Amino acid sequence: MQFSIKFLEYVCTTDKVASIILVSLAILLEYLVWYQLQMVRIHTFAFRLVFVAEKMVARMVDLRSDTVTKPTEAMRAAMASAEVDDDVLGRDPSCFLLESEMAKIFGKEGAIFVPSGTMGNLISVLVHCDIRGSEVILGDNSHIHIYENGGIATIGGVHPRTVKNNEDGTMDIDLIEAAIRDPKGELVYPTTRLICLENTHGNSGGRCLSVEYTDRVGEVAKKHGLKLHIDGARIFNASVALGVPVDRLVQAADSVSVCLSKGLGAPVGSVIVGSNSFITKARRLRKTLGGGMRQVGILCAAALVALQENVGKLESDHNKAKLLADGLNEIKGLRVDTSSVETNIIYVEIEEGSRTTAAKLCKDLEDYGILLMPMSLSRLRIVFHHQISASDVQYALSCFEQAVNGVRNENGN
Amino acid sequence: MVAENHYYFSVQERMVARNVDLRSDTVTKPTEAMRIAMANAEVDDDVLGNDPTAFLLETEMARMMGKEAALFVPSGTMGNLICVLVHCDVRGSEVILGDNCHIYIYENGGIATIGGVHPRAVKNNDDGTMDIDLIEAAIRDPRGELLYPTTRLICLENTHANSGGRCLSVEYTDRVGEIAKKHGLKLHIDGARIFNASVALGVPLDRLVQAADSVSVCLSKGIGAPVGSVIVGSKNFIAKARRLRKTLGGGMRQIGILCAAALVGLQENVGKLESDHRKARLFADGLNEIKGLKVNASSVETNMIFIDIEEGTRTRAEKICKYLEERGVYVMQECSSRLRVVLHHQISASDVQYALSCFKIALKGLQNETGN
C-alpha cells in the first residue's frame, strides 16, 4: 500500500493517462499480493481446520485390538441370507456347517460355536477339570490368568497353578513338570489335570509357540496323564507366521479355543475344537453358562465368510506390523523390540527421559484419530487387522512422529 | 427321563411338505425385515466400547420396563444366571423359587453348580404362583445363621411355563415384592415371556414388573428375534451384571447385528402376541373335542397348551408325536401322557386347522391300530 501511494504521487506529477493506468495496475498488483497473503493465511487456517477435522472424525485408525473389525459387505450379505434353525432344540444348519469346517481344519473330531474366547477357554478348562479339587497349570502372563476375571476359579472352582511365562510366550518345560502335583501328596494337594498354552501369546507381543515346543509340552502332559488345552485365540496368526498348518500346530492338544472375531474379522464368536465326547460335554456346559443361542447361524454365516476371505490376509497384517515397528523404532523417544514382532501385535516402549507417558501419548494420538491401548506408564500396544491399510500405517507413523517429537500448535509455535 | 432323541432334531431334516413347528416359540426364524436390519446394522466392539445398536436396544428395553438400565445377553439362561448371581454375590446365599420353575428345572442347576447359590424350592401351584405364607416360611431366620444360608432373593416366573404359560397378576407380584422388602430381600422375575403376560393381563410391562429389582426378558421367543435376552435393573445392578456377563463368557463384540433384529421384533411382533393367544384358545377348544385328549381350557391364558392323554386311551404320547411328525406337525412330549404345544407368530390360522385335523386323525388311527 505504501508503494502504491508513493507511485501514485510520482505518476500523478507526470503523465496523466499513463499515471492512471500505472497506478491502477499498481493498486491491482498490490491488492493481488495482499490477497495472496490473505489466501495463504486462509489456506493455512483451512489446512489446520481440515487437519483438526481429520483429527476429530474423518480418519480413524483403530489399532486397539483386532476385535474391532467390522463385518464386511460379504459378511453382511451372508448374515442376511443365512439358513437358520433353533440350535438348542436341534441343529442350526449354518452353525453345523461352521463347526464341521472348523473341526476339519483343526484335525479334531468335533467343534462347537461359543459367544466369546473367554467362554471358549472357560468351557475347555471346566470340562477337562470337571472333578472338584482340580488344578490347571498355565502361564503367569496368560490371557486366562490375567484377563478372564479369574472365572476358572470363581465360576468353575478350578485352582490355577501359574508358571513363569518367558518373554517368548513359552514356559520352561522343567518348570511345568515341577509344577505338576505328585499324586502321593493328594491329602494336601489338588489334582493337576490340565496344562494350558497360549498361541500366539498376547502379552508377549503376539509371539508364536513353535510346533516343536507344543509337541514337547504335549509329551509332558501325556507322560503325566494330563490334558493339553491351547488358547488359540490367534492360532491362525501363529500358523501363518510359522508356516505350519493349523492342524499340525495343534496336533498335541486335546482342545483348542479359536477366535473368529479377531483377525479373521467375524463380528462375534469363537469355536472350541476337540474330541466328540469333549464337545458333547462342552455343549452341555455352554448351555449351563448361558451360551446356548437359538438361530445362531446368522453369526456363523459371517464366520464362514471370515474363514474363507481373511485367513489369507493375515500375512499382510504381519508385514504391516513389521513395517510400523521398524518405523516406530526410528522415532527418537520410542523403542520397539522389532525381533519380537512376529505377528500382528507391537509393544511400544516410551524411553526414559521422554517428555511423554503412554497415557498422554495415547490421548494425543486420539486427536489424530489413532486409537491405541495403553498397557502401563511407559508401554502401549498396537494390534493390526485387515481393516488397517498401508496408508493407515504411513499416517500413523507420521502422527507418532508429530506427537512424540513434533512441534505442536498448543505449545505456542 | 426326557426322550432326548425325540426333542432334539432339526425340522429341516424331515422331508415333509408342510411344517408346523409347535415345539416352542424359540423356533421363530428371522423375518425379512429383521434380515435387512441385521445386514445394515451399525456396529462396534461392545466390549472395548459400546455397540451403538446394542445401546439403542438396551436403552429402549430399560425404558419399556421402567428400570434404570439394561444389558443384552445371549440367552434367557444366562439372563437368569447373571441375575441370581449378582443379587447373591456373597458366598452362602440362598434363593427362594418355585419347585416347578425354569431356573430350578431347566437350567442345569447352574445357580448352584456354577454360582454356588443354594436353591430353596417352594411348591408351585397350578397357576404358577407360590403361596405367600409358604414363601415367608421359607425365608431363613437370621438368628439361625450358624446353620442357615442367608436368603437374599425371591424369584418369580411370569408367564409360568410349566403351568402352561399362566400369568402372575400384578397384585400377586406386588404382594411378593412387599414380602421381599419386608425381609430385606431382592425380587427377580424370570420374564422370558413377560410380554405375553402383559398382553394377556392388559397390564403395561413397567407396571407389571414394578415390584421387581431385576427382570430377564427373552427376545428370541414370541418376539421372534433370532438370539438373545435382555436383563433390566438398576444402573448399579447392570454394572455388576456386565462384569459377570464377561466372566461367564457372554461378552460378544459386534452384537449390534443381533440387537438390530431384536429391535425389529419389538416393533413388529409385540402386537401379534394377542393373536397367538387367540389361536391357542381356538386350538385348545378344538383339541378338547377330540376323544382321548383333554385340555384344561381355563388354564390356556397365553400361547401355551398342555394336552393330557386320557386314561384308557389306547395310545401314548410318544406314538402321537411320531404320527404327527410324519405329517409335519411337531410338538413337545412332556411325559408318557402329556404333550405341549406353543404358538408363535409364524403359526398361521390355517396351520392351526391343519394341526387339529392331524391330531384328530392321529387319535382315531392309533385307537384303531391298537385293536378296537
Short mmCIF file of all heavy atoms in Angstrom, two decimals, chain A residues 259-291:
data_model
loop_
_atom_site.label_atom_id
_atom_site.label_comp_id
_atom_site.label_asym_id
_atom_site.label_seq_id
_atom_site.Cartn_x
_atom_site.Cartn_y
_atom_site.Cartn_z
N CYS A 259 -10.49 -67.91 18.12
CA CYS A 259 -11.35 -66.75 17.94
C CYS A 259 -11.61 -66.47 16.46
O CYS A 259 -10.71 -66.51 15.63
CB CYS A 259 -10.75 -65.50 18.56
SG CYS A 259 -11.01 -65.45 20.34
N LEU A 260 -12.88 -66.16 16.15
CA LEU A 260 -13.23 -65.78 14.79
C LEU A 260 -13.42 -64.27 14.70
O LEU A 260 -13.42 -63.70 13.62
CB LEU A 260 -14.53 -66.49 14.39
CG LEU A 260 -14.41 -68.02 14.46
CD1 LEU A 260 -15.78 -68.66 14.48
CD2 LEU A 260 -13.60 -68.52 13.29
N SER A 261 -13.59 -63.63 15.89
CA SER A 261 -13.91 -62.21 15.91
C SER A 261 -12.66 -61.34 15.95
O SER A 261 -12.77 -60.13 16.05
CB SER A 261 -14.79 -61.89 17.12
OG SER A 261 -14.04 -62.13 18.30
N LYS A 262 -11.48 -61.94 15.90
CA LYS A 262 -10.26 -61.14 15.93
C LYS A 262 -9.77 -60.94 14.50
O LYS A 262 -10.47 -60.35 13.69
CB LYS A 262 -9.21 -61.78 16.85
CG LYS A 262 -9.62 -61.77 18.32
CD LYS A 262 -8.48 -62.13 19.26
CE LYS A 262 -8.84 -61.82 20.70
NZ LYS A 262 -9.80 -62.77 21.29
N GLY A 263 -8.59 -61.45 14.21
CA GLY A 263 -8.01 -61.22 12.89
C GLY A 263 -8.87 -61.70 11.74
O GLY A 263 -8.83 -61.15 10.65
N LEU A 264 -9.66 -62.72 12.00
CA LEU A 264 -10.50 -63.24 10.91
C LEU A 264 -11.66 -62.30 10.63
O LEU A 264 -12.32 -62.43 9.60
CB LEU A 264 -10.98 -64.65 11.23
CG LEU A 264 -9.86 -65.68 11.34
CD1 LEU A 264 -10.43 -67.07 11.54
CD2 LEU A 264 -9.02 -65.67 10.08
N GLY A 265 -11.95 -61.41 11.56
CA GLY A 265 -12.90 -60.35 11.28
C GLY A 265 -14.38 -60.62 11.43
O GLY A 265 -15.19 -59.77 11.07
N ALA A 266 -14.77 -61.78 11.93
CA ALA A 266 -16.21 -62.02 12.13
C ALA A 266 -16.71 -61.12 13.25
O ALA A 266 -15.94 -60.72 14.12
CB ALA A 266 -16.45 -63.48 12.47
N PRO A 267 -18.00 -60.78 13.24
CA PRO A 267 -18.50 -59.88 14.27
C PRO A 267 -18.48 -60.47 15.68
O PRO A 267 -18.21 -59.77 16.64
CB PRO A 267 -19.93 -59.56 13.83
CG PRO A 267 -20.29 -60.60 12.85
CD PRO A 267 -19.03 -61.07 12.22
N VAL A 268 -18.79 -61.75 15.78
CA VAL A 268 -18.92 -62.37 17.10
C VAL A 268 -18.41 -63.80 17.06
O VAL A 268 -18.59 -64.51 16.07
CB VAL A 268 -20.42 -62.43 17.54
CG1 VAL A 268 -20.61 -63.27 18.79
CG2 VAL A 268 -20.97 -61.04 17.75
N GLY A 269 -17.80 -64.23 18.16
CA GLY A 269 -17.67 -65.66 18.38
C GLY A 269 -16.31 -66.30 18.30
O GLY A 269 -15.33 -65.76 17.78
N SER A 270 -16.28 -67.47 18.91
CA SER A 270 -15.12 -68.34 18.90
C SER A 270 -15.62 -69.75 18.66
O SER A 270 -16.82 -70.02 18.72
CB SER A 270 -14.39 -68.29 20.24
OG SER A 270 -13.76 -67.05 20.43
N VAL A 271 -14.69 -70.67 18.40
CA VAL A 271 -15.04 -72.07 18.26
C VAL A 271 -14.07 -72.89 19.09
O VAL A 271 -12.87 -72.64 19.08
CB VAL A 271 -14.99 -72.52 16.79
CG1 VAL A 271 -15.17 -74.02 16.68
CG2 VAL A 271 -16.07 -71.81 15.98
N ILE A 272 -14.59 -73.87 19.82
CA ILE A 272 -13.75 -74.82 20.55
C ILE A 272 -13.70 -76.08 19.69
O ILE A 272 -14.72 -76.51 19.15
CB ILE A 272 -14.37 -75.23 21.90
CG1 ILE A 272 -14.74 -74.00 22.73
CG2 ILE A 272 -13.42 -76.12 22.67
CD1 ILE A 272 -15.59 -74.36 23.94
N VAL A 273 -12.52 -76.68 19.55
CA VAL A 273 -12.42 -77.97 18.84
C VAL A 273 -11.85 -79.00 19.80
O VAL A 273 -11.06 -78.68 20.70
CB VAL A 273 -11.53 -77.87 17.58
CG1 VAL A 273 -12.17 -76.96 16.55
CG2 VAL A 273 -10.14 -77.38 17.92
N GLY A 274 -12.26 -80.25 19.60
CA GLY A 274 -11.78 -81.35 20.47
C GLY A 274 -12.43 -82.64 20.06
O GLY A 274 -13.04 -82.74 18.99
N SER A 275 -12.33 -83.65 20.93
CA SER A 275 -12.92 -84.94 20.62
C SER A 275 -14.44 -84.87 20.70
O SER A 275 -14.98 -83.93 21.29
CB SER A 275 -12.44 -85.99 21.63
OG SER A 275 -13.05 -85.73 22.89
N ASN A 276 -15.11 -85.85 20.13
CA ASN A 276 -16.58 -85.87 20.17
C ASN A 276 -17.10 -85.86 21.60
O ASN A 276 -18.04 -85.14 21.92
CB ASN A 276 -17.12 -87.10 19.43
CG ASN A 276 -17.19 -86.87 17.93
OD1 ASN A 276 -17.31 -85.74 17.48
ND2 ASN A 276 -17.12 -87.94 17.16
N SER A 277 -16.49 -86.67 22.47
CA SER A 277 -17.01 -86.74 23.84
C SER A 277 -16.75 -85.42 24.57
O SER A 277 -17.58 -84.97 25.36
CB SER A 277 -16.40 -87.93 24.59
OG SER A 277 -15.07 -87.64 24.93
N PHE A 278 -15.61 -84.79 24.28
CA PHE A 278 -15.31 -83.49 24.89
C PHE A 278 -16.32 -82.45 24.45
O PHE A 278 -16.85 -81.68 25.26
CB PHE A 278 -13.90 -83.06 24.49
CG PHE A 278 -13.52 -81.69 24.98
CD1 PHE A 278 -13.02 -81.50 26.26
CD2 PHE A 278 -13.67 -80.57 24.15
CE1 PHE A 278 -12.68 -80.23 26.71
CE2 PHE A 278 -13.34 -79.30 24.60
CZ PHE A 278 -12.84 -79.13 25.88
N ILE A 279 -16.62 -82.43 23.15
CA ILE A 279 -17.55 -81.42 22.62
C ILE A 279 -18.96 -81.64 23.16
O ILE A 279 -19.69 -80.68 23.40
CB ILE A 279 -17.52 -81.43 21.08
CG1 ILE A 279 -16.15 -80.96 20.57
CG2 ILE A 279 -18.61 -80.53 20.50
CD1 ILE A 279 -15.75 -79.55 20.95
N THR A 280 -19.33 -82.91 23.37
CA THR A 280 -20.66 -83.18 23.95
C THR A 280 -20.77 -82.57 25.33
O THR A 280 -21.77 -81.92 25.68
CB THR A 280 -20.89 -84.70 24.05
OG1 THR A 280 -20.77 -85.26 22.75
CG2 THR A 280 -22.27 -85.01 24.60
N LYS A 281 -19.73 -82.75 26.15
CA LYS A 281 -19.74 -82.16 27.49
C LYS A 281 -19.70 -80.64 27.39
O LYS A 281 -20.36 -79.92 28.15
CB LYS A 281 -18.53 -82.63 28.30
CG LYS A 281 -18.56 -84.09 28.66
CD LYS A 281 -17.36 -84.45 29.55
CE LYS A 281 -17.24 -85.94 29.73
NZ LYS A 281 -15.94 -86.29 30.33
N ALA A 282 -18.93 -80.14 26.42
CA ALA A 282 -18.81 -78.69 26.24
C ALA A 282 -20.16 -78.08 25.90
O ALA A 282 -20.51 -77.00 26.38
CB ALA A 282 -17.79 -78.40 25.14
N ARG A 283 -20.91 -78.78 25.08
CA ARG A 283 -22.23 -78.28 24.65
C ARG A 283 -23.14 -78.12 25.86
O ARG A 283 -23.87 -77.13 26.01
CB ARG A 283 -22.86 -79.23 23.63
CG ARG A 283 -24.07 -78.68 22.89
CD ARG A 283 -24.51 -79.64 21.79
NE ARG A 283 -23.52 -79.77 20.72
CZ ARG A 283 -23.40 -78.92 19.69
NH1 ARG A 283 -24.23 -77.91 19.58
NH2 ARG A 283 -22.47 -79.10 18.77
N ARG A 284 -23.08 -79.09 26.75
CA ARG A 284 -23.92 -79.04 27.94
C ARG A 284 -23.50 -77.89 28.86
O ARG A 284 -24.33 -77.15 29.37
CB ARG A 284 -23.79 -80.36 28.67
CG ARG A 284 -24.76 -80.52 29.80
CD ARG A 284 -24.56 -81.83 30.47
NE ARG A 284 -25.55 -82.03 31.50
CZ ARG A 284 -25.39 -82.86 32.52
NH1 ARG A 284 -24.26 -83.55 32.63
NH2 ARG A 284 -26.33 -82.99 33.41
N LEU A 285 -22.19 -77.74 29.05
CA LEU A 285 -21.70 -76.67 29.91
C LEU A 285 -21.97 -75.31 29.28
O LEU A 285 -22.27 -74.33 29.97
CB LEU A 285 -20.20 -76.84 30.18
CG LEU A 285 -19.59 -75.81 31.13
CD1 LEU A 285 -20.31 -75.79 32.47
CD2 LEU A 285 -18.11 -76.09 31.34
N ARG A 286 -21.90 -75.25 27.96
CA ARG A 286 -22.22 -74.00 27.27
C ARG A 286 -23.64 -73.57 27.59
O ARG A 286 -23.92 -72.41 27.86
CB ARG A 286 -22.05 -74.17 25.75
CG ARG A 286 -22.34 -72.90 24.95
CD ARG A 286 -22.35 -73.15 23.47
NE ARG A 286 -23.51 -73.90 23.02
CZ ARG A 286 -23.83 -74.12 21.76
NH1 ARG A 286 -23.07 -73.64 20.79
NH2 ARG A 286 -24.89 -74.83 21.44
N LYS A 287 -24.56 -74.54 27.62
CA LYS A 287 -25.96 -74.24 27.95
C LYS A 287 -26.05 -73.72 29.38
O LYS A 287 -26.74 -72.77 29.66
CB LYS A 287 -26.81 -75.49 27.76
CG LYS A 287 -28.30 -75.29 27.98
CD LYS A 287 -28.97 -74.75 26.72
CE LYS A 287 -30.49 -74.63 26.86
NZ LYS A 287 -30.89 -73.50 27.71
N THR A 288 -25.34 -74.40 30.29
CA THR A 288 -25.36 -74.04 31.70
C THR A 288 -24.87 -72.62 31.92
O THR A 288 -25.44 -71.86 32.72
CB THR A 288 -24.50 -75.01 32.53
OG1 THR A 288 -24.87 -76.34 32.24
CG2 THR A 288 -24.64 -74.73 34.01
N LEU A 289 -23.81 -72.26 31.20
CA LEU A 289 -23.26 -70.91 31.35
C LEU A 289 -24.13 -69.86 30.68
O LEU A 289 -23.94 -68.67 30.87
CB LEU A 289 -21.84 -70.85 30.75
CG LEU A 289 -20.78 -71.67 31.46
CD1 LEU A 289 -19.49 -71.69 30.66
CD2 LEU A 289 -20.52 -71.10 32.85
N GLY A 290 -25.08 -70.34 29.86
CA GLY A 290 -25.97 -69.40 29.19
C GLY A 290 -25.55 -69.06 27.78
O GLY A 290 -26.01 -68.07 27.21
N GLY A 291 -24.69 -69.90 27.19
CA GLY A 291 -24.25 -69.63 25.83
C GLY A 291 -25.04 -70.36 24.76
O GLY A 291 -24.64 -70.37 23.59
#
